[in-house]
């Protein structure tokens, strides 16, 4: 079977629809449940509320839970709203705690309270605890459905325990070993378990060098760690090393996707590039805030140029190079920004130290500035036969490139220092700042050397 | 144990260094091999060649293979060059075939040939086959170290087989079932295996709905599939459904990272944002190609404005709004570009269809253009008391925003049609194109309505 595309899902759906229409519950269940929950979710989402109500009544709450785990978190609210409170509470209780918490964070506070009141006590307690952790930390993406072993168990006892727990656990491929104080003391992969002899003790086989993350750790750092170490799961501990939960690789793939899309959106100056809107108005709403800020910054640039009206009046040809110089400043600034933002995100920046990074950017600005400046001087000399104009534009480009490159890396580094996400210094913002810098340099130099420009 | 940071690695290294210095091979091995291979690699990389040579002689080729698998592919070449040919061939033979192939793709062709000649025949054959697959396809990232089962085996027989294969296999958490023609017929997770009774047949327990990918499939699509379906491994098949290899989730995390960084780099107009250079020259070399292209495009803009010299002469104040209008065009174009590139990458664009997407962008341009245009008209009226100048700039911004938004989405869609990676239409490129468009609109309108502008 291939990954189902839109068309194949249609075909499956037609078969399933017949069963629904004829109210053949067994046939519907047989066809529908054979699909991967992701495909179930994709099909489920496109149905009318009437059909969805029929599906709720034909499936058990744990089967609906599988479907709900595969729906995009932004789209989930209407489905829970249309379920009865009791049914919704059951579905949430059957879900992985981490997914249930993600959903509850999207719903109305009063609804959440009523779900938690109805829900079975243990499940409600676990969810309540997870709801306290801050977004984008280990606590908010971990699940509490994990398997723990005791160091004094034999392999046979452990396997027996594992078989019992397997259906509910988020993963059984890593199991964690705790002591009597519930502190994390070891880790054991299922691979180690099945290779070991049945009468060996867990303590003989487990690895005591277990890598764990504190519950407040940033999700992006955790993703990087999992990628570096090729882990399938990571245990989450509190400050006393008590095992609180585990983070599995499937959730980390979602984190990676989310963080990458976030950085990309910010470089483009748009709040969320990855949730396509159906209407132009909704999409304009997302882009307008940035555009209006930039409009005012642009008016600042305009008023700055306005101060050089006299210079412009003496030599009107100066105007035609404004977009060239501003554009080059914007481009080189965005390049430097992107390198700095990624360097901070991947930890490369910590490794090299900020001064090395800034010095390198200054050097890069010098080299690119010298090359581009020399080139434009020559071209303008050949084109207009005016060496002083050529030199003015050339020197302006060189100075602009140096300053803009340094600004592009310095601004995100400063923001990182102030604990502001450096990606907030989005592409358009840096571009506009550098526009202003370039205008000041260009007209400043033109005003200073006006004699040469006019009288040659 | 935490994820080791730079400082902790130093501390571990000091202990290990003593052992190396005193030539205590057993102590060195005990300390070094206790670390995770990723940390081994990070420590190994920072040593002098002399120390590395000592490490080669103290470790077995399979232990060096673990270290090499954790070194960044761009940095690996010198290490293989300094090993003896025979040792290097042994190390490559001990690595996962997918990692060995990645490394061989970085090395000199003659070297590769000599390694393959010396290498054990089976390993060399497997590697040679993988070397043929195109970069960034399933074939290039899959490994051939997987466990296959036969449908007629009992669970007990299968577990016995698995225990034997476990140490060499890339993953044992999914096993694939093949028929007599080596065609893929089923899949079985280790979870299913350990829950099942020992005398059941594999064919009773396996799932026949096995999701597989063709060997030529694009790695980005595979990453998306694995994320959607939460798989830990995916089988790769040829056109007759023969099982050729498997792709594991750890490699997919690297693919996600690579693709995200690729898109990000292109939006910033820089060839590779994620390999930090140590020298300013190296980093300038990467950025100059784009900057020089943009320099010439910028000169085109300048010469276009030059054609409106007469208009500028009649109303010099027009010059001060050039960066404002060009900047708005660039920003809105980058926003539309980012949405289109992501829409194409995530398949959202296929789902919605290109016309719906373009129409929505046009609508978005209309709304943002109307709002920004009205705003600037009012501000300029209040500021300069010149309603005609305000209306000129306002209408220009409105028209520019509409055209720039459409261009920002149309260009990547056209490139996608022509089978060019749409991300190549990088941010700076779109920005500069839109600069040109904005200049034409602004001065075109100014020239047409010059009478009104001068006489009011």
């Amino acid at each position: 079977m291939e990954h189902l595309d839109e068309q194949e899902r249609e075909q499956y759906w037609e078969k399933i629809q017949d069963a629904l229409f004829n109210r053949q519950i067994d046939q519907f269940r047989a066809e529908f449940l054979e699909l991967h929950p992701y495909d179930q979710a994709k099909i489920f989402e496109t149905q009318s509320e009437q059909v969805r109500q029929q599906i709720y009544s034909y499936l058990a709450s744990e089967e609906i839970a599988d479907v709900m785990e595969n729906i995009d978190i932004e789209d989930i609210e209407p489905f829970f709203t249309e379920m009865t409170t009791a049914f919704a509470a059951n579905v949430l209780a059957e879900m992985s705690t981490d997914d249930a918490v993600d959903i509850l964070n999207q719903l109305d506070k009063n609804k959440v309270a009523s779900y938690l009141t109805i829900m079975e006590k243990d499940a409600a307690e676990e969810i309540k605890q997870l709801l306290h952790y801050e977004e984008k930390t280990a606590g908010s993406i971990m699940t509490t459905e994990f398997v723990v072993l005791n160091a004094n168990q034999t392999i046979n006892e452990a396997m027996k325990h594992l078989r019992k727990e397997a259906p509910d656990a988020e993963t059984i491929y890593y199991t964690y070993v705790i002591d009597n104080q519930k502190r994390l003391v070891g880790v054991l992969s299922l691979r180690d378990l099945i290779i070991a002899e049945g009468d060996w003790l867990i303590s003989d086989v487990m690895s005591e060098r277990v890598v764990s993350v504190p519950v407040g750790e940033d999700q992006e750092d955790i993703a990087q760690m999992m990628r570096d170490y090729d882990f399938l799961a990571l245990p989450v501990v509190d400050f006393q090393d008590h095992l609180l939960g585990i983070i599995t690789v499937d959730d980390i793939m979602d984190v990676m996707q989310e963080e990458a899309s976030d950085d990309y959106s910010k470089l483009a100056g748009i709040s969320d590039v990855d949730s396509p809107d159906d209407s132009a108005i909704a999409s304009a709403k997302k882009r307008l805030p940035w555009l209006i800020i930039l409009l005012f910054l642009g008016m600042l640039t305009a008023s700055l140029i306005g101060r050089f009206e006299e210079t412009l009046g003496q030599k009107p040809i100066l105007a035609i190079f404004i977009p060239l110089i501003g554009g080059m400043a914007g481009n080189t600034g965005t390049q430097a920004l992107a390198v700095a933002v990624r360097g901070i995100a991947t930890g490369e920046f910590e490794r090299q130290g900020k001064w090395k990074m800034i010095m390198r950017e200054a050097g890069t600005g010098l080299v690119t500035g010298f090359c581009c400046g020399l080139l434009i001087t020559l071209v303008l000399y050949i084109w207009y036969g005016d060496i002083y104009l050529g030199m003015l534009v050339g020197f302006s480009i060189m100075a602009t490139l140096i300053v803009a490159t340094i600004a592009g890396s310095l601004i995100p580094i400063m923001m990182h220092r102030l604990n502001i996400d450096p990606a907030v210094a989005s592409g358009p913002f840096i571009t506009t700042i550098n526009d202003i810098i370039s205008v000041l340099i260009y007209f400043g130099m033109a005003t200073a050397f006006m004699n040469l420009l006019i009288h040659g």
Side-chain angles (χ1 to χ4, degrees), chain A:
Chain A
M1 187 184 83
E2 278 299 289
H3 183 222
L4 297 188
D5 63 27
E6 209 68 13
Q7 222 179 343
E8 288 164 317
R9 276 195 209 110
E10 288 280 311
Q11 288 163 6
Y12 276 96
W13 174 244
E14 274 168 29
K15 274 199 282 178
I16 296 171
Q17 206 172 19
D18 281 348
L20 276 179
F21 189 76
N22 299 319
R23 307 200 168 271
Q24 294 169 304
I25 181 165
D26 290 338
Q27 200 191 324
F28 166 76
R29 289 178 54 83
E31 299 272 3
F32 189 74
L33 294 176
E34 210 187 338
L35 294 174
H36 187 284
Y38 177 77
D39 294 315
Q40 294 175 4
K42 287 286 139 192
I43 287 176
F44 171 87
E45 275 186 303
T46 55
Q47 305 314 315
S48 68
E49 190 187 333
Q50 199 191 348
V51 175
R52 291 200 302 262
Q53 289 292 357
Q54 206 183 344
I55 295 179
Y56 297 140
S57 68
Y58 283 7
L59 294 178
S61 49
E62 60 184 282
E63 288 155 352
I64 289 289
D66 283 343
V67 176
M68 291 299 146
E69 285 180 354
N70 281 279
I71 287 176
D72 268 353
I73 192 76
E74 288 88 7
D75 304 331
I76 204 125
E77 204 231 311
F79 305 130
F80 277 88
T81 313
E82 74 193 14
M83 293 179 200
T84 62
T85 309
F87 186 70
N90 278 339
V91 169
L92 286 165
E94 293 287 351
M95 292 176 73
S96 295
T97 41
D98 54 342
D99 292 325
V101 167
D102 286 346
I103 291 173
L104 290 173
N105 275 325
Q106 302 290 318
L107 301 180
D108 176 72
K109 290 232 162 133
N110 292 324
K111 275 225 131 86
V112 173
S114 57
Y115 292 151
L116 291 175
T117 320
I118 300 181
M119 207 179 284
E120 191 225 337
K121 216 175 175 184
D122 286 357
E125 274 313 308
E126 277 181 13
I127 288 176
K128 270 184 206 161
Q129 272 180 351
L130 288 187
L131 276 173
H132 286 137
Y133 296 114
E134 223 177 311
E135 253 198 296
K136 306 202 170 190
T137 61
S140 72
I141 54 170
M142 73 185 186
T143 173
T144 49
E145 283 96 1
F146 53 88
V147 182
V148 284
L149 300 175
N150 191 292
N152 304 320
Q153 280 178 309
T154 63
I155 299 290
N156 275 337
E157 286 165 355
M159 284 297 281
K160 211 171 140 188
H161 179 63
L162 209 58
R163 283 200 190 93
K164 212 186 74 196
E165 297 283 328
D168 285 328
E170 183 94 1
T171 181
I172 56 162
Y173 300 132
Y174 284 90
T175 46
Y176 299 97
V177 186
I178 53 175
D179 65 11
N180 293 333
Q181 276 84 50
K182 294 198 170 180
R183 274 193 303 240
L184 181 66
V185 291
V187 61
L188 200 60
S189 72
L190 186 51
R191 195 191 280 240
D192 302 329
L193 262 176
I194 69 159
I195 296 177
E197 299 291 332
D199 53 353
W200 292 357
L201 285 180
I202 294 292
S203 53
D204 299 332
V205 189
M206 74 183 192
S207 161
E208 285 166 31
R209 304 197 77 130
V210 39
V211 178
S212 63
V213 290
V215 68
E217 184 89 343
D218 184 77
Q219 63 176 9
E220 198 168 4
D221 295 337
I222 298 169
Q224 206 191 326
M225 197 186 301
M226 273 191 135
R227 208 175 62 241
D228 287 344
Y229 287 76
D230 291 346
F231 288 134
L232 296 178
L234 261 180
V236 180
V237 294
D238 66 11
F239 68 105
Q240 288 179 307
D241 251 359
H242 294 130
L243 182 60
L244 300 177
I246 60 165
I247 296 171
T248 50
V249 70
D250 53 305
D251 297 318
I252 286 301
M253 284 199 283
D254 295 337
V255 167
M256 286 177 69
Q257 172 72 6
E258 184 187 326
E259 295 283 348
S261 146
D262 219 41
D263 286 351
Y264 192 81
S265 303
K266 280 171 185 157
L267 189 61
I270 179 167
S271 58
D272 183 3
V273 90
D274 261 349
S275 58
D277 310 292
D278 292 311
S279 83
I281 302 275
S283 122
K285 261 191 199 159
K286 273 191 200 165
R287 301 187 199 174
L288 266 176
W290 260 121
L291 289 175
I292 289 177
I293 293 173
L294 296 172
L295 192 68
F296 280 99
L297 282 173
M299 285 197 279
L300 184 63
T301 319
S303 82
L304 277 176
I305 304 181
R307 300 200 166 212
F308 294 102
E309 231 179 325
E310 198 188 330
T311 310
L312 256 176
Q314 290 173 295
K315 189 93 181 172
I317 202 176
L318 288 177
I320 75 172
F321 299 105
I322 298 175
L324 172 68
I325 295 172
M328 293 298 286
N331 291 325
T332 191
T334 306
Q335 291 177 331
L337 167 76
V339 169
V341 168
R342 292 299 303 169
I344 291 169
T346 61
E348 188 60 40
F349 158 72
E350 303 281 343
R351 204 179 66 76
Q352 296 196 352
K354 67 170 179 295
W355 288 113
K356 193 171 165 204
M357 209 153 144
I358 294 171
M359 287 314 292
R360 193 190 54 224
E361 287 301 323
T364 307
L366 191 70
V367 176
T368 55
F370 180 77
C371 295
C372 293
L374 187 66
L375 191 64
I376 195 89
T377 305
L378 289 175
V379 172
L380 290 190
Y381 179 53
I382 295 164
W383 191 6
Y384 287 96
D386 185 341
I387 186 69
Y388 294 109
L389 181 68
M391 280 171 67
L392 171 71
V393 177
F395 272 114
S396 299
I397 289 223
M398 183 168 144
T400 298
L401 256 56
I402 297 172
V403 178
T405 308
I406 296 175
S409 75
L410 204 59
I411 292 175
I413 288 173
M414 276 166 29
M415 289 184 134
H416 181 62
R417 267 284 149 124
L418 300 170
N419 275 324
I420 305 170
D421 178 358
V424 169
S426 73
F429 181 71
I430 290 279
T431 301
T432 310
I433 294 290
N434 280 336
D435 239 9
I436 296 175
I437 293 174
S438 71
V439 159
L440 287 176
I441 291 177
Y442 178 49
F443 281 104
M445 287 178 89
T447 310
F449 298 105
M450 188 48 80
N451 267 340
L452 273 179
L453 281 173
I454 293 178
H455 310 293

